[in-house]
Structure formats: C-alpha cells, structure tokens
Amino acid sequence: MATTKKPSKIKKVFRVIAYLVLSLILLATASLITIYTAWHYYLNTQVEQAFAPIKNQDRPLTLTEIQTAYTTDNNTAAADYYLPIMQSYVESFERYNTAYDEAPEDQCALLEIPFILDAPDTWHHSKQSPPEQLLTATRKYLAQNDATIQELINAPTFSNAHFPPDYTKGFETDMPHLGQFRQSARLLRLYHWLAIYENRPKDALKAITAIKKLSDILHTEPTLIGSLVRLSIHRLVADESVRVLNLHLYNDQQLQALYHLNQPLNSKDIVLKALEYERVMAMDGIDRMENQDTTAITSKNVPYVSFLYSHLGLGDLDRVKITELHQQMRDRLNQDDWYLYDIEDQIDDLPLIYAMTKVFMPALSAATNTFAQAHEEAVAIQLAIATQRYYLANKQLPKTFDALVPTYITKVPVDEIYYNQPYQLITHTAGYIVYTPGYDEVDNKGQRTSEGEVGRGDDEFTDISIAVSFKGQDILLELFPEEEQLIIDELEFDITNYFHRLNGEPEEYPTMNFDNMLPFLGGMMIDEFDPELEEEHDFDETLFEEVE
C-alpha cells in the first residue's frame, strides 16, 4: 500500500505566508474600496451642501443655464443693428492702420490721430490747442468714417439685447463683439475730441450720448470680461466729461444732460452677475480636468490630471472651496462690504491641492475694486457737473455741496462703498476739486497722483479725485505742484516728440535718474539690499547686466 508523502514544513510555511499575503491584499483592497467610497460619499455630500443654496435661489450651475438666461427673450435687434456697422468700421480701421504701417517714415506722423494711433490727446494742460496737422488728420479720418459715426450717433435705444457668442463653449467662447464695441467707442471719443476743440458742443454731446448707449447695450453681458469692457466704455464717458468740464464748453442745459449720462452703473448687480458666470466657468474647468480635457485651460494635455481630479477627489475639493469663496463674496457685497482683498489672502494660504481655486479666484477682488472705484468716480463727476452749473448761474463757486441742494442735486451723496462720509469739495481761485479718499480711506485732500502716476484712491497717497480748472489755470498744479508737474512734464514730453515726428527729427527719451527710481531688482528694493551684496557687485554695471 502506497504511502502519501506529507508536505515539508517549508511548503507549509510558504502556504501560510501566501494565505496571509492574499488575506492582507484582500483586506487592503476592501479597506481602499471602503475609504474610496466613504471619501467620495463625503465629497459628494459637501458638494451637494455647497450647491444647495444656489439651487434654492434658482441661480445657474451650468453654462447651458447661463446661455439660456442670456438668450431668454431672443432679442437680436441690437446685434442686427450694431454688428454690421461695427464690422465695417473695424475693416476701415485695419485699412488705415495698414496704410500707416506702410507709409514712409517721414509721413507716418501726418497720419497719427488721438486714441487710434500715437498722437497725444491732452493739450489744455500745456495751454495750447492741438496743431493744425493733428486736426487735419483727425478730420480726414472722421470723414472717411462719417457714415459709421452717424449710424452710431443716431442708433435707436434697445432695452435688451444678446449677441452671437455661445457661452456653453466655456473657455472656447469667442466674443468678437466686445472688441468691436471698444473700437467703435474710441471712434466716437475721437469725434467728441475734435468737436470740443472746434467748439461744437452739440456734436460733442451727441458723441458722449452715443458712447453711453454702447455701454448700456452691454448690460446683459454675463461674463466678467464683458462687464469690464462695458465699464471701460462707461469710463470713456467719464473721461470725456472731465475733459469738456475743463474746457468750459457746455451751457446749463447741456450740463444737465451730461449729468444724467454720468449716472453710476449699478456696480453691485454687475459684479454679482459676473461672479455667477466666473463660478460656473470654474466648475466647467474642473469638469474638463476630470475628463482629461485640459487643452482649453493649459493649451496642452496634462497627464494623470483626470486621476488626480476625479479619483483622488481634487475636483470636488475645488468645487466646494470655490463655491464657498464665491458665497463669501456675494454675502459681503450684499452687505455693501467691498473690502474683499482678505479673500485673496485666504486663497494665497490654500495648499496647492486647490489648484483651480488659485487659478480662477484671485482676479475677482481686483475686478470688484475696479467697479467700486468707477462708481465713486461717476458720483464725483456728477458733483463736479452740478458745481459747474452752480458756477454758471452764480458766477462763484459754492462753499459746500449743501449749496447745491435742491436745485442741482437732491442731497449730498455719501461714499457708501468705502469711506462712509460725504464727498468733499475744495475750492480755489484756480478751480475746484471733488474727491473721496477711496479704498485706503486716507484723506489726501484731493491729490490724484503719486510719483507721476495717476491713482484711484487705492493707495495711501491718492484719492478718487475730479479736478476742474478755470481757463488758463491748473488747480492741481497750484495745490500739488511737485506731483502734478511730473504729469505735465510727461504730457509735454509726448507733445514734443509728436512735433519731432512731424519734422522728421529723432525722438527724445527720458533721462533715467537712478537716485529717483524705485526699481525692484531680483524682488528687492535698493534700500533693502544687503551691504555684502552691494560689495559683491559692481552696482553700475554688473548687477544691471545680471538682471537684464
């Protein structure tokens, strides 16, 4: 009878080890599946909780919902009217630009015009009028585009509009109409510029009115960039209003019309709507990352990004964080709290796993501040216009804004965005300044420049300031001679070079005074350099060569 050979002890040991290893693998797999399931259940719960208020308020969650809201009334009348006109002008501009590029060097300056090519547009600071060559080039350009100008000036008023972009495409959405609107607004600005220097106030007012129409027709734009383009056009109304105030061209009736054209935009509603689109765009970006569709975001496919965003859950982490931060911004704005830069600090402190949050969020607080500044500027311009009307009627400036109530304004406005105090008036024999300190809340008595740069109240040296000088005077130069002289010198420099170009002479370049510069070399200011570093380098040559 055959005997069965018993397995050796070594085989038994290996078998036990194999069972243990298999058991560990099965246990680890089960644990991973449990952890994976629990992690994604947790993430899905967090996402649902973050999205719940948005759903309850019928706010958009997808680009399709954005597009549906944008095209609800299917009103294309404004697009049908404006876009052919603007496209025709863009083609005309491109032909002119080509002619400029191809012109002999000594003839180029004769084609220069303000806002379109390199010619300076500000001449009243230098107490002179634009030269005849510049006026001739401008008249010729405007004559070539007169049909477009008249169609823009005589455009009907459209209460609502949408344009061709398909916002469901997300990052690939093409919005050529925004550029066309900006170029058309610059054409009208040029028309206004010539009209005021030719003493044609009625035509000048028509031009500003047409620019305001272009801004108004973009009020349905859902995107942040669309809202910023609208704001940039609205600011052309503001800039040209300040220009015409300083030239004292308008009568009381025209000033009343100008006052209404400078009605502040509803900045809060604009920003809130733009925030919705930016949040939805961020969600679309996360969806793309999860689906390995990164070309629209990074211009190339990023390997393993789908694993990171889908399976590890980075996408849901970003969804929750972006939604939370957007809600913080909404809540603050609804409480009239425009100080949002601390949200940027929160974003900066986030770990790198919140990559999409860091990509999509940082620019929003700066954009919000831009709208807030524009609102304050518009109120200040309206007060400057009301002050001008008072001056025309009484042959003297008011001592305070109280004197304007109720004939010129219904009440003295308060800077409700930042300063929470009434706007300020400074009167002088050279003119007057309307101002509010702005974001930094530091009262600089209407100063608008710092180190030769025009500020908007967002630093400790400048205010949001509208200055109107009497003819032949410069109130800013009187009150802030050192800072304002830097601005005037720069304007004079541009004018001098314009004449150099007209005469075929070499242009001048500013002399760089190292002692007055504030350079950042390798991220460090000069007065913060380590002495040992200064000894190590030849400061006049070597260090600059390395930086370059």
Side-chain angles (χ1 to χ4, degrees):
M1 185 175 181
T3 58
T4 304
K5 192 175 183 180
K6 294 182 180 181
S8 67
K9 289 184 178 181
I10 295 177
K11 287 185 177 180
K12 286 182 179 180
V13 171
F14 275 117
R15 188 175 297 171
V16 170
I17 292 173
Y19 286 150
L20 288 173
V21 170
L22 181 60
S23 298
L24 288 173
I25 291 173
L26 291 174
L27 180 61
T29 302
S31 300
L32 287 173
I33 292 173
T34 302
I35 293 170
Y36 181 89
T37 303
W39 174 238
H40 280 275
Y41 176 80
Y42 168 78
L43 290 174
N44 290 337
T45 302
Q46 293 296 305
V47 171
E48 285 300 317
Q49 290 177 354
F51 284 0
I54 299 172
K55 293 177 180 178
N56 293 338
Q57 297 168 17
D58 290 327
R59 288 156 49 199
L61 279 166
T62 67
L63 290 170
T64 300
E65 291 173 315
I66 292 282
Q67 181 71 14
T68 299
Y70 180 60
T71 59
T72 295
D73 61 1
N74 199 31
N75 187 346
T76 62
D80 294 340
Y81 181 86
Y82 275 113
L83 293 187
I85 297 170
M86 293 178 174
Q87 183 58 41
S88 175
Y89 171 62
V90 169
E91 293 170 358
S92 173
F93 165 77
E94 289 173 350
R95 288 194 296 271
Y96 191 87
N97 205 38
T98 300
Y100 175 80
D101 290 338
E102 295 176 352
E105 190 171 345
D106 59 346
Q107 298 294 311
C108 286
L110 295 173
L111 297 175
E112 289 183 19
I113 46 180
F115 316 120
I116 309 296
L117 291 171
D118 295 333
D121 64 273
T122 302
W123 294 80
H124 59 272
H125 275 299
S126 60
K127 299 182 177 60
Q128 58 180 307
S129 297
E132 190 57 38
Q133 299 96 320
L134 184 57
L135 295 174
T136 298
T138 302
R139 293 185 189 110
K140 204 177 284 188
Y141 184 83
L142 293 175
Q144 292 172 3
N145 295 284
D146 185 63
T148 296
I149 293 168
Q150 295 309 315
E151 287 177 305
L152 292 173
I153 286 176
N154 297 308
T157 300
F158 299 96
S159 60
N160 209 348
H162 78 260
F163 292 87
D166 180 1
Y167 293 106
T168 62
K169 294 181 178 179
F171 294 93
E172 284 113 3
T173 300
D174 192 16
M175 297 177 279
H177 68 294
L178 297 180
Q180 294 169 357
F181 265 78
R182 291 187 68 181
Q183 285 189 300
S184 299
R186 289 193 200 103
L187 175 64
L188 290 168
R189 186 185 193 187
L190 180 64
Y191 182 87
H192 177 266
W193 180 87
L194 183 65
I196 61 175
Y197 278 115
E198 290 186 336
N199 197 26
R200 293 186 284 115
K202 291 182 179 179
D203 288 337
L205 188 58
K206 288 178 181 179
I208 292 187
T209 304
I211 296 173
K212 179 66 162 53
K213 279 185 179 181
L214 293 183
S215 171
D216 288 345
I217 207 62
L218 292 175
H219 78 278
T220 57
E221 289 298 306
T223 67
L224 179 61
I225 185 65
S227 298
L228 288 170
V229 168
R230 181 191 178 195
L231 179 63
S232 71
I233 294 174
H234 188 78
R235 271 184 161 165
L236 295 187
V237 174
D239 292 344
E240 291 308 301
S241 297
V242 174
R243 190 194 305 273
V244 80
L245 284 174
N246 276 280
L247 292 173
H248 302 274
L249 188 64
Y250 284 0
N251 59 30
D252 184 74
Q253 185 178 4
Q254 291 161 343
L255 287 171
Q256 287 185 59
L258 193 66
Y259 180 94
H260 293 295
L261 291 174
N262 280 279
Q263 185 69 28
L265 297 176
N266 191 332
S267 297
K268 184 195 294 184
D269 286 352
I270 293 172
V271 173
L272 288 174
K273 182 167 68 173
L275 281 175
E276 296 289 353
Y277 179 82
E278 295 303 312
R279 173 181 51 76
V280 173
M281 274 289 291
M283 299 303 137
D284 180 65
I286 294 169
D287 290 343
R288 289 170 182 263
M289 299 290 271
E290 288 180 338
N291 296 318
Q292 197 64 45
D293 178 16
T294 61
T295 53
I297 304 173
T298 64
S299 302
K300 60 183 179 180
N301 273 314
V302 180
Y304 312 120
V305 72
S306 177
F307 175 79
L308 293 171
Y309 274 81
S310 182
H311 296 295
L312 290 188
L314 298 190
D316 282 339
L317 288 175
D318 266 324
R319 285 188 181 94
V320 172
K321 184 57 66 177
I322 288 173
T323 304
E324 288 176 351
L325 291 170
H326 273 265
Q327 191 60 47
Q328 282 186 45
M329 296 181 81
R330 283 182 60 85
D331 292 344
R332 298 269 285 277
L333 289 170
N334 281 322
Q335 295 168 10
D336 293 322
D337 179 0
W338 291 75
Y339 289 95
L340 303 178
Y341 282 100
D342 62 304
I343 295 180
E344 281 190 8
D345 295 335
Q346 292 183 45
I347 296 165
D348 290 340
D349 293 338
L350 289 174
L352 290 176
I353 59 173
Y354 294 98
M356 296 300 285
T357 305
K358 289 178 171 287
V359 167
F360 283 100
M361 290 295 298
L364 294 181
S365 57
T368 299
N369 190 42
T370 299
F371 281 100
Q373 289 171 340
H375 182 96
E376 293 175 312
E377 287 174 352
V379 174
I381 290 172
Q382 285 189 312
L383 285 170
I385 294 169
T387 303
Q388 188 91 314
R389 291 183 61 208
Y390 180 97
Y391 179 77
L392 287 178
N394 297 281
K395 308 305 178 188
Q396 63 180 4
L397 291 170
K399 293 182 180 179
T400 67
F401 286 136
D402 292 328
L404 304 179
V405 181
T407 305
Y408 305 102
I409 57 176
T410 56
K411 63 179 182 179
V412 179
V414 171
D415 178 357
E416 297 176 345
I417 292 180
Y418 290 134
Y419 197 49
N420 202 32
Q421 295 289 332
Y423 284 74
Q424 303 295 309
L425 173 66
I426 295 175
T427 60
H428 189 274
T429 55
Y432 60 92
I433 294 175
V434 179
Y435 78 95
T436 186
Y439 176 81
D440 68 316
E441 298 187 15
V442 177
D443 188 341
N444 296 290
K445 305 303 179 186
Q447 182 169 325
R448 66 167 189 148
T449 61
S450 174
E451 297 181 359
E453 297 293 331
V454 176
R456 296 184 184 275
D458 48 7
D459 59 63
E460 61 181 318
F461 305 109
T462 64
D463 298 328
I464 291 176
S465 175
I466 304 300
V468 178
S469 300
F470 294 136
K471 289 183 178 179
Q473 303 290 326
D474 190 331
I475 185 172
L476 291 171
L477 190 60
E478 292 287 337
L479 297 181
F480 313 107
E482 183 176 342
E483 292 293 344
E484 195 61 25
Q485 189 62 51
L486 292 173
I487 299 292
I488 293 175
D489 289 345
E490 186 175 340
L491 293 172
E492 292 283 2
F493 191 81
D494 291 340
I495 290 172
T496 299
N497 275 335
Y498 172 72
F499 283 115
H500 282 327
R501 294 194 296 273
L502 280 177
N503 298 325
E505 301 166 349
E507 293 186 50
E508 299 177 16
Y509 295 94
T511 303
M512 304 301 288
N513 186 339
F514 186 78
D515 292 332
N516 293 333
M517 290 171 63
L518 201 63
F520 287 85
L521 303 176
M524 296 180 293
M525 292 175 61
I526 287 177
D527 59 358
E528 295 175 348
F529 275 162
D530 184 86
E532 295 180 3
L533 179 65
E534 190 171 349
E535 293 174 6
E536 189 176 328
H537 293 276
D538 181 346
F539 221 52
D540 294 328
E541 298 176 4
T542 311
L543 186 56
F544 283 104
E545 290 172 3
E546 291 181 5
V547 171
E548 184 179 347

